[in-house]
Amino acid sequence: MQDVAAHRVWDTALGQLQLQVTRPNYDTWLKDTVGLNTDNGSFVIGTPSDFVSEWLSTKMGPVIAKTVSGILGRSVDLRYEVVPQGGNGHQADEPPPLAGHSPAPAVISSPSARKRINGKLTFDRFVIGESNRLAAAASLAVSEQPGEVYNPLFIYGGPGLGKTHLLHAIASRASREDRRVLYVTCEQFTNDFVNAISQGRQDEFRRKYRSTDILLVDDIQFLAGKERTQEEFFHTFNDLHADGCQVVLTSDRSPKTIPGLQARLCSRFQWGLLADVQPPDEETRLAIVQAKALEQRIKIGPEVAQLIADRAQDNVRELEGFLNRVTAYANLTRSPITIEGATLAIDALTPPTPPP
């Protein structure tokens, strides 16, 4: 059972720890913990899993003990206990929608049907580090104040770094406020435009793309060289921007370096904010691996997490792929996930680079 005094002490400790550890470490390891009780010189911390308990004990034990001891005015020994999520933890469920009120659906354009966005790609599940902090903060801002800040928002960077995740997160957050949100890839926009011309349905096409509160377009670099599609997107952009509607675009490069992009579009893409995302640093990679393992209920030790983070340095998709491969290898061999098994699984894909 949770002790009220311990709860207050731990809340104070978390406030101090936020200033002492990096944001990825805090969000991954500390945010969902709780103070359970304090007695006989011990302070008990509730965690969501044994893995989190082990990591906090081995990696952050001294700094946590010093912080709690300073608040209590005496030395304490730390203990960890697993508590169910939604029980004594800090993270609360989202409130249900008001009776009789349904949020406006955020949709994805599709040749066959309109689909809801990927509900798993939310801001809560986006691991923030120095490599993506600006893009994440700007995305959250436009989801809460569309058309008022950073319009357009142009996010650029290499593949697998979280650009699409941020678009879905914007759509998910904004749709809660009864806003009309449309997410498409550049290819889908082009196909819709071509089909509209061939079927004489340009007016319907324009109503679809110009009557939304937020337009999210993924991989806008594929407009390059498509003159008529660029012309249509130019007018779509102008109409939305003039009406105070939010436009968010992603690309694998900055506007100025997209070959075959009209100068007037390049200029407009730079009206708001350009936010780049870079390959994650080691600390962020490790936080991503650990967050994905927790999300999928995969129990891996710190050494295995570090191995994956060390071997997949280019993008987040590679990290997820290595984690999935390590897990599959353990399942197929009916063995626990160990550093030896993980090394064998990863080496089959990417042999380690020999030292110079």
Side-chain angles (χ1 to χ4, degrees):
M1 178 177 293
Q2 184 179 7
D3 179 81
V4 174
H7 177 80
R8 291 174 179 169
V9 168
W10 187 240
D11 274 352
T12 303
L14 287 176
Q16 296 183 16
L17 288 167
Q18 275 188 289
L19 304 176
Q20 301 178 60
V21 303
T22 63
R23 176 65 180 273
N25 274 338
Y26 180 85
D27 286 347
T28 303
W29 305 112
L30 290 167
K31 187 172 70 173
D32 295 327
T33 57
V34 64
L36 293 180
N37 58 69
T38 175
D39 62 342
N40 298 325
S42 295
F43 188 85
V44 184
I45 300 168
T47 71
S49 70
D50 289 327
F51 183 37
V52 173
S53 296
E54 179 185 355
W55 200 94
L56 289 175
S57 176
T58 57
K59 299 290 187 179
M60 299 181 67
V63 68
I64 294 174
K66 182 178 179 181
T67 301
V68 174
S69 296
I71 295 169
L72 292 174
R74 56 181 171 82
S75 297
V76 295
D77 294 323
L78 299 179
R79 291 193 293 111
Y80 302 89
E81 290 184 10
V82 176
V83 295
Q85 286 293 288
N88 291 325
H90 292 284
Q91 194 168 18
D93 293 335
E94 294 177 8
L98 297 175
H101 175 81
S102 298
V107 300
I108 294 179
S109 175
S110 167
S112 58
R114 291 162 65 122
K115 302 176 182 177
R116 292 188 177 274
I117 62 167
N118 188 336
K120 294 182 179 180
L121 300 179
T122 63
F123 286 114
D124 291 339
R125 293 187 174 186
F126 189 83
V127 178
I128 298 174
E130 292 305 316
S131 59
N132 59 24
R133 189 178 303 278
L134 175 62
S139 297
L140 180 59
V142 302
S143 73
E144 296 176 339
Q145 297 178 286
E148 299 180 26
V149 293
Y150 315 134
N151 195 19
L153 173 60
F154 192 100
I155 304 171
Y156 68 96
L161 297 179
K163 302 186 298 296
T164 299
H165 187 138
L166 288 175
L167 291 186
H168 283 266
I170 292 170
S172 180
R173 178 66 63 91
S175 63
R176 298 179 191 173
E177 305 299 326
D178 204 20
R179 295 189 174 104
R180 295 164 298 177
V181 184
L182 178 62
Y183 166 92
V184 294
T185 64
C186 185
E187 180 185 13
Q188 289 168 331
F189 179 89
T190 302
N191 290 341
D192 283 353
F193 178 56
V194 171
N195 290 335
I197 292 175
S198 65
Q199 298 170 16
R201 300 168 64 181
Q202 292 96 319
D203 288 344
E204 181 180 333
F205 171 87
R206 287 165 186 153
R207 281 195 300 272
K208 171 183 177 181
Y209 281 95
R210 301 185 193 185
S211 62
T212 184
D213 296 319
I214 303 177
L215 176 63
L216 310 167
V217 184
D218 213 353
D219 291 324
I220 197 67
Q221 73 272 8
F222 290 119
L223 276 183
K226 300 179 176 70
E227 293 300 321
R228 291 194 65 182
T229 307
Q230 288 192 50
E231 177 82 16
E232 183 62 31
F233 191 81
F234 172 79
H235 294 297
T236 298
F237 180 97
N238 283 348
D239 279 3
L240 290 172
H241 197 275
D243 289 341
C245 301
Q246 180 70 48
V247 178
V248 185
L249 311 170
T250 71
S251 172
D252 63 358
R253 65 198 75 187
S254 66
K256 286 186 176 180
T257 58
I258 299 176
L261 184 66
Q262 294 176 0
R264 58 183 181 175
L265 278 178
C266 180
S267 173
R268 280 161 175 75
F269 291 171
Q270 298 176 87
W271 276 355
L273 176 68
L274 300 181
D276 68 323
V277 287
Q278 299 292 331
D281 56 27
E282 179 183 359
E283 188 173 49
T284 306
R285 294 197 307 272
L286 185 59
I288 291 170
V289 172
Q290 293 155 345
K292 292 295 181 183
L294 287 172
E295 180 182 313
Q296 300 176 38
R297 302 178 184 274
I298 300 170
K299 185 175 182 179
I300 62 172
E303 300 87 354
V304 174
Q306 186 68 57
L307 172 68
I308 295 173
D310 288 342
R311 296 289 290 277
Q313 300 187 12
D314 294 332
N315 59 62
V316 178
R317 289 182 192 142
E318 189 176 28
L319 285 169
E320 294 180 3
F322 279 10
L323 176 61
N324 291 337
R325 182 173 177 85
V326 167
T327 305
Y329 181 87
N331 289 339
L332 292 172
T333 57
R334 297 183 179 180
S335 60
I337 297 176
T338 63
I339 187 66
E340 294 80 13
T343 302
L344 286 173
I346 294 175
D347 282 352
L349 287 179
T350 56
T353 304

